[in-house]
Amino acid sequence: MAIDLRSDTVTQPSAEMRKAMAMAPVGDDQYGEDPSVNLLQDRIAELLGKEAALFVPSGTMANQTALKTFTRPGDDVLVSTEAHILLHESGASGANSGVQFSVVGEGGLFTRTDFLAHCKPHGHMVMPPTTLVTIENTHNRGSGVVFPQEDIVAICREANAHGVHSLCDGARLFNASIASGLSLAELAAPFDVVTVALSKGLGCPVGSLVAGRSDDMQRAHRVRRMFGGAMRQAGILAAAGLYALDYNLARLADDHKNARLIAETLVQIRGVTIDLEKIQSNIVIFSLADGMPDAATVVTRAKIKGVLLNVFGLRRVRAVTHLNVSREDCMRAAEILADVIAS
Ligand SMILES: *Cc1c(COP(=O)(O)O)cnc(C)c1O
């Protein structure tokens, strides 16, 4: 069987997770009557230190729901370079919320100074008002780097002072917590709204949540319905999330070690560049120098030898570790990769 390092979304629900799903008590969630969904929302809200949370089908819908809840058409939103909300949501932000993005910083990170340099005033005759700043933690295209918490605190404090709301795209906030040793509540505290995904490292088949203040989440509830994301007996899905919080959270540390292992093998190959300092979680992005095979070639050759990866640019490749690949799989994958890059 192939070693699938394309994404942590490829994970399969385990037999135990499926059992928890099959046994889940359910009700009509649109009436607020699904006990499993309610329990999951309460647990996530508590973990994140927020008043309320809302279960949605995907991370994209979580981000889009948050965006719609906190902006008006014509608003300006500050985002990091290559953010998911900018590059991976099919233009939804422009189509659904009518916002424009200003991209700030580099490598997926930015600072309070970047925020101040790009934050546009409210009530200005010509400029679009900046009403939201979003931070992705960990940053996918930034090689899974954890956004420095002191920068988050400084940016969100400044945002608050300027009447700008703050959104954390925490699709991999569980990874950020394990990697940094900071609790989910500490990571979430500076933000008005936080999204987290169950279908990445936690290994659930479906689901994300949006968390924040109760009144904001009530508005988000309506937005979810507008986007067609209201669900009924969704407790079957929520039960997978409840299971994952109990059994799949602490083990993310293994994924991080495995990513490190891959990175440390690849960095020794001439013509391969990896910023080892940024390999802090379960994502390894490496670049191939001119004269080396390009990303598409490496990915095709690796596939023939049973290792699946994603092309992330002309000369950039991404590998992601997760609960369905073991340490041995990762060592083997790194050897195969070293082989196909060098040949
Ligand atoms: C995966 C991901 C999402 C959500 O993706 P979906 O495929 O819609 O669940 C959002 N943000 C980041 C940073 C992600 O990596």
Side-chain angles (χ1 to χ4, degrees):
M1 216 175 68
I3 303 169
D4 195 344
L5 303 175
R6 285 174 302 167
S7 177
D8 43 10
T9 57
V10 302
T11 50
Q12 296 275 329
S14 64
E16 296 76 27
M17 181 181 277
R18 286 166 185 264
K19 204 162 150 193
M21 295 171 75
M23 305 295 284
V26 297
D28 193 326
D29 179 52
Q30 183 64 36
Y31 291 97
E33 290 174 2
D34 189 299
S36 302
V37 170
N38 291 342
L39 187 59
L40 176 66
Q41 291 178 161
D42 289 348
R43 269 191 76 180
I44 290 286
E46 194 185 329
L47 276 172
L48 294 173
K50 298 297 182 200
E51 288 172 8
L54 182 68
F55 189 42
V56 296
S58 72
T60 297
M61 189 177 275
N63 284 345
Q64 290 301 317
T65 300
L67 193 65
K68 182 84 175 164
T69 304
F70 286 94
T71 60
R72 293 165 63 91
D75 285 359
D76 176 63
V77 177
L78 302 190
V79 297
S80 59
T81 54
E82 296 193 273
H84 192 279
I85 203 164
L86 177 71
L87 284 187
H88 291 203
E89 300 188 7
S90 296
S93 308
N96 295 332
S97 296
V99 295
Q100 73 168 44
F101 284 133
S102 294
V103 181
V104 305
E106 56 182 309
L109 306 179
F110 57 97
T111 62
R112 171 182 167 273
T113 308
D114 295 318
F115 174 87
L116 288 172
H118 294 276
C119 181
K120 295 148 199 81
H122 295 189
H124 193 277
M125 192 68 82
V126 296
M127 288 195 189
T130 304
T131 56
L132 187 71
V133 57
T134 85
I135 286 176
E136 188 173 312
N137 198 15
T138 64
H139 200 288
N140 172 29
R141 298 184 72 100
S143 215
V145 70
V146 178
F147 208 107
Q149 189 65 13
E150 61 274 20
D151 289 328
I152 289 179
V153 169
I155 291 164
C156 291
R157 185 178 297 146
E158 210 60 72
N160 196 39
H162 284 76
V164 175
H165 285 114
S166 52
L167 160 65
C168 174
D169 176 354
R172 295 192 181 85
L173 199 68
F174 299 108
N175 296 88
S177 173
I178 296 288
S180 65
L182 297 173
S183 71
L184 289 160
E186 282 173 280
L187 293 170
F191 294 96
D192 294 299
V193 60
V194 179
T195 62
V196 293
L198 304 173
S199 56
K200 296 268 161 84
L202 289 189
C204 299
V206 184
S208 278
L209 292 100
V210 188
R213 289 180 205 92
S214 295
D215 52 346
D216 292 332
M217 290 308 100
Q218 257 163 36
R219 292 191 297 129
H221 199 279
R222 170 164 181 246
V223 172
R224 180 181 72 171
R225 172 115 191 137
M226 288 171 72
F227 286 171
M231 296 181 282
R232 302 295 177 175
Q233 285 71 31
I236 290 198
L237 304 173
L242 290 166
Y243 176 90
L245 291 176
D246 288 335
Y247 298 103
N248 291 349
L249 191 46
R251 64 151 305 288
L252 291 174
D254 297 341
D255 298 344
H256 297 182
K257 279 187 215 137
N258 290 340
R260 195 76 205 169
L261 192 75
I262 293 172
E264 280 168 0
T265 305
L266 295 184
V267 79
Q268 294 170 33
I269 305 168
R270 253 186 56 201
V272 171
T273 312
I274 299 182
D275 188 349
L276 274 185
E277 257 181 50
K278 294 214 163 157
I279 314 296
Q280 299 172 2
S281 60
N282 67 328
I283 298 176
V284 180
I285 292 180
F286 59 92
S287 301
L288 299 149
D290 287 339
M292 306 291 290
D294 64 11
T297 306
V298 167
V299 169
T300 305
R301 285 184 190 165
K303 187 176 177 184
I304 293 166
K305 300 212 167 173
V307 177
L308 306 183
L309 306 150
N310 266 338
V311 173
F312 249 51
L314 276 178
R315 304 208 144 265
R316 269 204 309 171
V317 178
R318 185 187 72 167
V320 185
T321 58
H322 52 77
L323 56 75
N324 288 149
V325 289
S326 64
R327 183 180 164 82
E328 290 67 39
D329 290 334
C330 291
M331 277 179 356
R332 173 108 189 90
E335 281 165 21
I336 289 172
L337 267 174
D339 204 42
V340 303
I341 292 167
S343 70

